[in-house]
Amino acid sequence: MTGNDHHHRLGTVLLTGAAGTLGRVLADPLRAACALLRRSDLGPALIAQGLADGLACDLADTGAVLHLLEGVDAVVHLGGIAVEGPFQPILQANLLGLHNLYEAARRQGVRRIVFASSNHVTGCRRIDERVTPQDLPRPDGNYGLSKLFGEGLASLYFDRHGIETVSLRIGTATPTPLDRRALSTWLSHADLARLVLAALRARDVGALVVYGISANTARWYDSDAGWARIDYQPQDNAEAFRDRVGHLPVHPDPNDPQNRFQGGSFMGIGPFDAT
Ligand code: NAI
Ligand code: 15L
């Protein structure tokens, strides 16, 4: 079968990183769309956010992740380190975490993963470049590299094991755009929910990579083909906020890499010398 069936009710969906910023945004839309929503995060994060129904699971714990995915039909994978930083923590939470997730998916028969990748997979592109998911990635740090590893895992586990993934190279998912860069990268919370539900519902996606942004006039990414494949139709546009934030650069120096490259402030973080 091809195309999307919006009346199709999703089965048991696992949301990792459920106590995080986007996890809390997505809980209600996911709960409305699936038969059962299972939420997980690190124990202290669940407690801090008062998610009493959440399951404590460190993604770096291979056995715990295997257990977490038992009986799950699809995963929305948001868990992990979400910013640029030193390699060791990213190695544990993101690289090992992703490997644990895909191995558990294979062993537990999970058929679909929606992976929160990031625009930082291509953050070393200049702001005058227009980028598609088919172009060579140019990660801007350890974090972007960890997301590229995830997209590679998605490709491998589809080709070898038939597990389908939509990797969402999310831009900047804030309630409103906060600076000039976000006029290009913004993903409204409403469009985030539309995108994740489209990625869960679409048939025959294989290992698809799309950018996750709203219908921004100033966008740097051309993701139209992938969006059509999953029937994602963004409704918001950061341009409406240009008067408010268009004069706000990422860095005061116009020639700073943080202004010249798509990765923005992450271009100003690192390197990290081992101590
Ligand atoms: P967040 O940092 O608020 O949430 C991530 C969650 O993952 C946290 O609750 C944290 O406790 C959990 N986590 C970290 N290490 C873990 C581990 N070892 N085991 C289990 N859980 C762990 O981040 P946010 O903003 O909600 O982002 C969600 C996802 O979307 C992340 O994967 C991030 O990389 C990605 N993303 C977010 C963007 C944004 O604009 N917020 C843009 C691009 C990508
Ligand atoms: C990301 O990948 C981060 O998770 C988020 O905190 C923002 O920095 C976002 O990218 C961005 O590039 O604006």
Side-chain angles (χ1 to χ4, degrees):
M1 195 180 350
T2 56
N4 304 326
D5 175 1
H6 288 280
H7 305 290
H8 166 72
R9 198 166 161 80
L10 302 163
T12 298
V13 174
L14 167 67
L15 175 65
T16 71
T21 308
L22 303 191
R24 283 175 282 129
V25 169
L26 285 170
D28 283 343
L30 282 173
R31 210 176 273 116
C34 68
L36 189 69
L37 181 66
R38 187 178 296 177
R39 299 197 282 179
S40 75
D41 207 305
L42 293 171
L46 292 170
I47 291 167
Q49 294 301 331
L51 302 191
D53 69 326
L55 299 175
C57 177
D58 185 338
L59 292 160
D61 181 336
T62 308
V65 175
L66 181 62
H67 183 61
L68 182 69
L69 266 65
E70 201 178 334
V72 167
D73 298 305
V75 181
V76 177
H77 183 56
L78 306 184
I81 292 173
V83 290
E84 176 58 347
F87 185 63
Q88 283 302 329
I90 288 177
L91 173 63
Q92 292 300 313
N94 294 18
L95 298 179
L96 180 56
L98 275 159
H99 196 268
N100 286 339
L101 183 84
Y102 274 86
E103 270 297 281
R106 180 183 65 77
R107 293 176 63 181
Q108 300 287 14
V110 176
R111 304 308 301 163
R112 173 68 53 95
I113 294 175
V114 175
F115 166 48
S117 182
S118 170
N119 72 87
H120 294 283
V121 168
T122 54
C124 279
R125 295 281 178 184
R126 294 186 318 271
I127 60 166
D128 61 0
E129 291 182 85
R130 200 168 166 91
V131 188
T132 79
Q134 283 69 46
D135 293 329
L136 270 186
R138 303 280 292 270
D140 61 26
N142 295 326
Y143 167 72
L145 199 53
S146 76
K147 297 297 188 181
L148 185 55
F149 178 76
E151 293 180 10
L153 273 175
S155 172
L156 170 64
Y157 277 74
F158 176 65
D159 288 339
R160 293 289 305 272
H161 310 297
I163 298 169
E164 294 195 302
T165 300
V166 184
S167 295
L168 310 174
R169 289 184 181 169
I170 299 171
T172 305
T174 43
T176 62
L178 298 175
D179 61 13
R180 182 164 66 211
R181 173 175 177 271
L183 296 178
S184 302
T185 61
W186 188 51
L187 175 65
S188 73
H189 285 175
D191 281 340
L192 169 71
R194 287 184 190 101
L195 178 61
V196 168
L197 290 175
L200 280 170
R201 287 176 168 140
R203 313 269 178 183
D204 303 325
V205 293
L208 181 67
V209 178
V210 303
Y211 281 90
I213 55 168
S214 288
N216 304 325
T217 306
R219 64 182 175 268
W220 296 317
Y221 320 119
D222 177 355
S223 205
D224 293 3
W227 288 359
R229 199 147 150 213
I230 60 171
D231 197 21
Y232 167 59
Q233 296 171 19
Q235 303 296 313
D236 296 313
N237 185 342
E239 202 61 23
F241 297 85
R242 182 172 289 276
D243 288 351
R244 238 191 273 178
V245 303
H247 61 289
L248 299 173
V250 178
H251 189 278
D253 175 359
N255 288 318
D256 191 277
Q258 297 180 54
N259 288 324
R260 290 192 294 114
F261 291 91
Q262 294 181 5
S265 65
F266 284 26
M267 294 297 290
I269 310 176
F272 308 93
D273 294 348
T275 47

